[in-house]
């Protein structure tokens, strides 16, 4: 079984459904409220576990009730949480307003995630034994960098999701130890300054990393590598989307499993696209992620 380590965030998603999102100074009455375990790290961990990998998560939850719920959700998904810390204070939370058109606006409060600034010996040992390390940008950069450097030293493939879109350029040290970068279209534009032309953005990103996949929502994804710089498109299966939250995390978690199993990149991208297309047809992030048999089918 493929072993995947995830170094990333766990957040409780607090979701308010409204017809029209409030502007500053305005109060609106919404029609529904839901809580759901989330965080880009935890979501990718659940996606990879459901897709059939042996997954361990390095992260932190708080001492509040959300911390217990986040821990339990990962455990139920079959994710190894031995290295998930509990730190004094609140867990990470994501405050999400979903409007009537399905658009959303999100405030993330890092909480316990912000306490994970460095790695311990056990974290490094776990990363060293994995086939891939999944990283995002919802933990302090010092930890993300330490994880990626540990992976590189041990020949472990690093897969970085540059989300949320960084306000500053990514540190060169991080890009230097990234094997595969998987931005969505918006993140790719932020990183390169090239918008509306994902082919050009993909080629530009190859200056920083050896392989890149830009996800394009319902239009699928683009893959480019230094060995094959002309981007290759993989179409998304045509489906009716009801909730695209977590589509990118489903895609990355599943892609990591396929690559870990030694599948060629185009097969892996097709499999990940099938998984993400299944997830957008159901509500929620982690709850909508498909199991291996469904993806194969
Ligand atoms: P993110 O969720 O990070 O914003 P995208 O919106 O690009 O990322 O979606 C990630 C992947 O999920 C896409 O590359 C595609 O495979 C799949 N996907 C997203 N939206 C749809 C959709 N409406 N129909 C089919 N597949 C989708």
């Amino acid at each position: 079984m493929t072993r995947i380590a995830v170094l990333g965030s766990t957040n409780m998603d607090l979701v308010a459904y409204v017809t029209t999102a409030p502007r500053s100074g305005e109060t609106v009455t919404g029609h529904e409220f839901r809580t759901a375990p989330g965080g880009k790290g935890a979501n990718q961990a659940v996606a990879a576990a459901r897709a059939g990998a042996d997954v361990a998560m390095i992260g932190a939850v708080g001492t509040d009730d959300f911390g217990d719920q986040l821990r339990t959700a990962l455990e139920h998904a079959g994710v190894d949480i031995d290295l998930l810390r509990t730190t004094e204070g609140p867990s990470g939370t994501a405050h999400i307003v979903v409007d009537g058109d399905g658009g959303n606006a999100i405030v993330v409060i890092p909480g316990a995630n912000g306490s994970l600034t460095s790695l311990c010996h056990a974290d490094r040992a776990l990363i060293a034994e994995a086939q891939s390390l999944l990283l995002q940008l919802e933990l302090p950069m010092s930890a993300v960098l330490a994880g990626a450097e540990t992976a590189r030293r041990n020949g472990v493939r690093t897969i970085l999701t540059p989300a949320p879109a960084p306000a500053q350029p990514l540190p060169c040290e991080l890009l230097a130890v990234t094997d595969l970068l998987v931005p969505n279209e918006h993140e790719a534009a932020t990183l390169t300054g090239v918008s509306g032309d994902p082919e050009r953005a993909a080629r530009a990103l190859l200056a920083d990393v050896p392989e890149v996949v830009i996800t394009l929502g319902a239009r699928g994804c683009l893959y480019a590598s230094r060995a094959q710089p002309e981007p290759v498109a993989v179409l998304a299966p045509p489906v009716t989307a009801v909730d695209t939250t977590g589509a990118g995390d489903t895609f990355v978690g599943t892609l990591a499993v396929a690559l870990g199993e030694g599948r060629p990149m185009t097969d892996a991208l097709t499999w990940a696209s099938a998984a993400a297309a299944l997830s957008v047809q159901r509500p929620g992030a982690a709850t909508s992620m498909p199991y291996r048999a469904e993806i194969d089918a």
Side-chain angles (χ1 to χ4, degrees):
M1 209 188 244
T2 311
R3 268 189 76 80
I4 291 181
V6 181
L7 172 60
S9 58
T10 45
N11 292 324
M12 186 57 82
D13 290 349
L14 309 172
V15 195
Y17 295 85
V18 299
T19 305
T20 307
R23 277 177 276 176
S24 180
E26 197 184 7
T27 300
V28 300
T29 301
H31 49 83
E32 199 186 339
F33 173 69
R34 278 192 212 161
T35 59
K40 296 197 83 63
N43 285 346
Q44 293 186 2
V46 171
R50 289 195 178 179
D54 183 357
V55 183
M57 169 100 193
I58 303 168
V61 297
T63 42
D64 51 5
D65 289 347
F66 289 155
D68 294 335
Q69 293 167 30
L70 292 169
R71 203 169 259 291
T72 305
L74 282 168
E75 231 170 358
H76 280 172
V79 175
D80 174 346
I81 53 165
D82 284 356
L83 293 176
L84 187 69
R85 292 104 164 121
T86 299
T87 55
E88 189 61 39
S91 297
T93 45
H95 304 253
I96 307 175
V97 176
V98 178
D99 65 33
D101 297 326
N104 59 41
I106 307 178
V107 176
V108 174
I109 312 274
N113 296 298
S115 71
L116 216 168
T117 52
S118 61
L119 301 185
C120 66
H121 179 73
D123 299 326
R124 292 180 199 276
L126 185 138
I127 292 168
E129 281 168 14
Q131 261 149 328
S132 300
L133 173 67
L134 301 187
L135 301 154
Q136 318 78 30
L137 301 178
E138 287 186 340
L139 289 186
M141 186 53 81
S142 53
V144 175
L145 189 54
E149 285 172 341
T150 302
R152 174 55 61 86
R153 266 198 303 281
N154 291 282
V156 176
R157 178 193 277 119
T158 52
I159 302 179
L160 173 65
T161 305
Q168 325 231 301
L170 285 176
C172 298
E173 307 92 287
L174 178 60
L175 292 167
V177 290
T178 297
D179 294 310
L180 173 61
L181 187 70
V182 190
N184 66 16
E185 199 169 9
H186 165 66
E187 291 144 9
T190 305
L191 290 172
T192 58
V194 176
S195 50
D197 189 348
E199 274 91 0
R200 195 152 75 85
R203 281 192 293 267
L205 287 168
L206 292 178
D208 296 323
V209 293
E211 288 187 286
V212 60
V213 174
I214 301 183
T215 64
L216 304 170
R219 287 177 291 129
C221 65
L222 273 184
Y223 167 70
S225 71
R226 285 181 185 159
Q228 187 190 328
E230 204 38 53
V232 177
V234 175
L235 295 178
V239 298
T240 304
V242 299
D243 182 352
T244 60
T245 318
D249 294 329
T250 305
F251 183 92
V252 172
T254 313
L255 179 65
V257 177
L259 293 176
E261 291 174 358
R263 301 203 206 179
M265 182 58 86
T266 40
D267 287 5
L269 291 171
T270 304
W271 203 58
S273 303
L278 284 165
S279 80
V280 302
Q281 294 173 77
R282 312 171 198 169
T287 45
S288 73
M289 290 170 178
Y291 289 87
R292 189 178 182 101
E294 298 172 85
I295 309 170
D296 285 341

